[in-house]
């Protein structure tokens, strides 16, 4: 019996992407899978049903897709109850937001579903082609600059005309990760003067390679602010104060600020205070890419463009979805590369390697339980910590062994003395 892969139309708020492209449908069918797609699933990403059909897919109802799918692909977790109707052993794959969906995880586990959260993909070389955070953040950084051009009432590049010279826009990017670096590159291509900041010293070289100027208090503490694994270290309060003062002074001179700082499972850090907004010129623009996690700007609002003291603060939801066609193509390729790992090329059947670092990184549920280390129930954690009785038993065995050698009377008299001595040493 052939493997069936299903794709539903996205139901999450402001979601226009789709989990499969016509190209990936062809690749799934080449692996011997049947592909079922809900009517109109790709319309918002500029993919028509006929393109899917030509690629080898069949258009089906939601009920049929859920009932028959061995693998169900999604961009975001479906907001309806369709997922809970998947058959036991079926695999749900997408950006499942596990930090925010604890109840959903329990439901998937109860239903016997194998849920895989693609945003937890390990940051290893082999998994780069499956990394949805990188592919989507790249587009977010690009779109952030375009959104800035929409709300900024002036030109980006320097223009010399007979009527006078137009000064170039000054763009400041806060956070030099994937989104930030793309924002720097895009703003630079449009002719802006670009500066950027990040807590990782290594990012300085990346910013400068794209034509930007790095902004940071570069003292000795900053130079040591990165671990061997490439992660940022916690900075001292004194350094944080110096850096905040520098950034505040810099922001006051900028026309556009783009913030990109996100921490998985936690509220986004506030990078721009109300006072900083007040210090900016009228007509300036702030693009907050972290608005859905609380925002990097203290005054940003989810899904809104607000104006405070003459400064426009843009808080669009789901920025990758605002460029849905390309975002869907990249997302679909990420999913295909992962799914291909789960299918045996000779038998065209599921063959999951649970020892694979990639699978261990993304798998949330299996065999009726939540298995991911970050989200496993507390009971499992408590069970692991109950080791004290084992140690006591070991000591008791040693004492028994001593009785055989030295005799019962001698051991009974000396044992308490040894215990008391040990206690005194512990106190001292």
């Amino acid at each position: 019996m052939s493997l069936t892969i299903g794709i539903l139309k996205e139901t999450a708020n402001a979601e226009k992407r789709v989990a499969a492209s016509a190209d990936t449908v062809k690749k799934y069918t080449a692996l011997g899978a049947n592909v079922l797609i809900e009517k109109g699933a790709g319309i918002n990403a500029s993919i028509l049903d006929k393109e899917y059909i030509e690629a080898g897919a069949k258009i089906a109802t939601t009920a049929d897709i859920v009932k028959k799918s061995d693998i169900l692909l999604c961009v975001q977790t479906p907001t309806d109850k369709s997922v809970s109707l998947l058959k036991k052993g079926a695999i749900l794959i997408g950006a499942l937001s596990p930090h925010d969906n604890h109840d959903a995880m329990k439901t998937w586990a109860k239903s016997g579903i194998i849920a895989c959260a693609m945003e937890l993909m390990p940051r290893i070389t082999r998994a780069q082609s499956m990394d949805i955070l990188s592919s989507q953040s790249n587009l977010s950084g690009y779109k952030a600059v375009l959104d800035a051009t929409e709300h900024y009432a002036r030109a980006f590049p320097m223009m010399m005309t007979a009527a006078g010279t137009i000064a170039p826009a000054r763009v400041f990017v806060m956070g030099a990760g994937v989104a930030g670096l793309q924002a720097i590159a895009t703003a630079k291509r449009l002719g802006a003067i670009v500066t950027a900041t990040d807590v990782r010293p290594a990012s300085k070289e990346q910013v400068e390679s794209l034509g930007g100027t790095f902004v940071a208090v570069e003292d000795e503490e900053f130079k040591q602010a990165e671990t061997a694994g490439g992660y940022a270290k916690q900075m001292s309060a004194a350094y944080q104060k110096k850096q905040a003062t520098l950034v505040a002074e810099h922001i006051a001179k900028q026309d556009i600020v783009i913030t990109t700082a996100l921490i998985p499972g936690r509220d986004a850090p506030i990078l721009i205070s109300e006072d900083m907004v007040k210090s900016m010129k009228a007509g300036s623009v702030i693009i907050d890419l972290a608005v859905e996690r609380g925002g990097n700007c203290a005054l940003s609002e989810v899904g809104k463009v607000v104006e405070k003291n003459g400064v426009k603060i843009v808080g669009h939801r789901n920025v990758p979805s605002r460029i849905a066609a390309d975002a869907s193509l990249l997302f679909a390729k990420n999913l295909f590369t992962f799914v291909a790992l789960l299918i045996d090329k000779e038998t065209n059947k599921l063959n999951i390697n649970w020892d694979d670092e990639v699978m261990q990184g993304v798998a949330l549920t299996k065999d009726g339980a939540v298995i991911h280390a970050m989200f496993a129930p507390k009971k499992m954690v408590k069970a692991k910590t109950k080791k004290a009785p084992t140690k006591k038993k070991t000591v008791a065995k040693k004492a028994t062994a001593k009785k055989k050698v030295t005799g019962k009377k001698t051991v009974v008299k000396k044992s308490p003395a040894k215990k008391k001595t040990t206690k005194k040493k512990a106190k001292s």
Side-chain angles (χ1 to χ4, degrees), residues 378-391:
K378 290 180 181 178
K379 287 180 182 178
M380 291 176 69
V381 178
K382 285 180 181 178
K384 288 177 183 178
T385 58
K386 290 182 180 179
K387 291 182 180 179
T390 311
K391 287 183 180 179

Side-chain angles (χ1 to χ4, degrees), residues 329-340:
L329 293 179
L330 297 182
F331 196 98
K333 285 180 181 176
N334 292 147
L335 293 189
F336 171 77
T337 309
F338 175 67
V339 171

